[in-house]
Amino acid sequence: YMPRRHIMKKTQDDLAQMPPAVGQILSSLYERPDGRGIPGAFSGQQIPWGARLIAAVDAFCDLTANPRAPGGRCEASLALDRMHDEVHRGLFDADALAMVPDDPDGVYNLALVDLKQARVDAALAGFERVLALERGNPEGVTRELKNQSLNNAAVIYYSRGEFTDAEAALAEAVAQKPDDASAWFNLGLTRQKLGRAAEAHDALQRARILDGADVAIARALALAELGRQNWVAAVALLME
């Protein structure tokens, strides 16, 4: 990543001493796809590919690392969203932007980092972006990655009290991966919050079948049995 202020210090003599292809790239860094860049000699596909790519990477690094960037420094997933919004204005080349860290695995891993560092809004935006990428290209996102994104998004929704969104995400997760005990467990807890006791019990029971050794699942199911006045079943679960 070469900050723009350094590139701008390059003189024509510097460029003349470089290989022609490199010089052309550096001299075209401030061109814009809409033709309104500097010096304004190229537009669209006329701009060297390397210049279009470096311009996108440079902007991404600036948005995520520079506190004086337009709008302030932001997390990677939000920076990508902002840059995608600017494509239609002619600021970035769409093909070049696609090369910036925006593949599903990269977005997911960035979201995990955000989550571990308590940047919950950025993390949720990342998980939601993976799901949006999957909707646009189902074959481009693995079932496992989609499932992990659904579960992580659901946990954040739940923590915010957004139980309807959490339930929708978890229902989709168990539909595509029926043997995920953790997802069934979380689905049961979420449906309890929504006041859907019977469906919550069924989800917890399914989680229990899939993972009979999980103490948290057993306790949650025991409480559900107490709510149904199934005293014997509840005591049996609590005694295990």
Side-chain angles (χ1 to χ4, degrees):
Y1 167 50
M2 183 181 291
R4 291 180 178 176
R5 60 182 179 275
H6 292 167
I7 294 173
M8 291 300 288
K9 291 180 180 178
K10 291 294 182 182
T11 65
Q12 291 300 318
D13 289 340
D14 292 328
L15 295 175
Q17 296 173 12
M18 296 178 178
V22 175
Q24 187 178 35
I25 288 173
L26 292 178
S27 65
S28 302
L29 282 176
Y30 300 104
E31 298 285 11
R32 285 176 37 161
D34 62 5
R36 294 187 293 173
I38 300 173
F42 301 119
S43 65
Q45 300 297 311
Q46 295 175 324
I47 303 171
W49 166 248
R52 285 180 275 150
L53 180 58
I54 291 175
V57 173
D58 180 46
F60 175 78
C61 292
D62 197 46
L63 286 170
T64 56
N66 182 5
R68 294 184 295 276
R73 181 171 55 193
C74 62
E75 306 307 328
S77 56
L78 298 181
L80 289 169
D81 285 338
R82 288 170 60 180
M83 292 175 70
H84 277 285
D85 290 341
E86 297 292 350
V87 169
H88 74 281
R89 294 179 54 202
L91 293 179
F92 301 108
D93 177 82
D95 292 334
L97 187 54
M99 300 296 291
V100 177
D102 193 23
D103 68 284
D105 290 297
V107 173
Y108 178 80
N109 288 328
L110 284 172
L112 285 182
V113 171
D114 286 332
L115 187 60
K116 289 178 181 178
Q117 296 185 3
R119 297 192 291 262
V120 180
D121 289 343
L124 180 58
F127 297 133
E128 289 178 335
R129 184 167 186 78
V130 173
L131 298 173
L133 290 170
E134 191 274 338
R135 288 192 293 270
N137 179 22
E139 296 182 356
V141 178
T142 66
R143 290 173 62 86
E144 183 62 25
L145 188 61
K146 179 182 178 181
N147 185 265
Q148 291 171 341
S149 297
L150 286 166
N151 276 288
N152 280 302
V155 169
I156 295 175
Y157 291 140
Y158 186 95
S159 70
R160 292 179 166 183
E162 299 169 3
F163 303 121
T164 299
D165 289 335
E167 197 271 344
L170 290 165
E172 187 174 356
V174 298
Q176 75 154 16
K177 190 176 180 182
D179 60 348
D180 188 341
S182 177
W184 280 107
F185 173 55
N186 289 332
L187 182 58
L189 297 180
T190 302
R191 286 176 171 170
Q192 284 180 336
K193 291 291 187 180
L194 291 170
R196 292 156 55 180
E199 292 176 273
H201 176 270
D202 291 345
L204 292 171
Q205 201 167 47
R206 183 67 177 270
R208 172 69 174 171
I209 292 171
L210 292 169
D211 187 353
D214 191 296
V215 175
I217 292 175
R219 289 178 177 173
L221 182 57
L223 292 175
E225 295 292 4
L226 286 173
R228 294 159 65 94
Q229 299 185 352
N230 292 337
W231 317 117
V232 175
V235 171
L237 286 164
L238 293 171
M239 292 293 290
E240 290 183 5

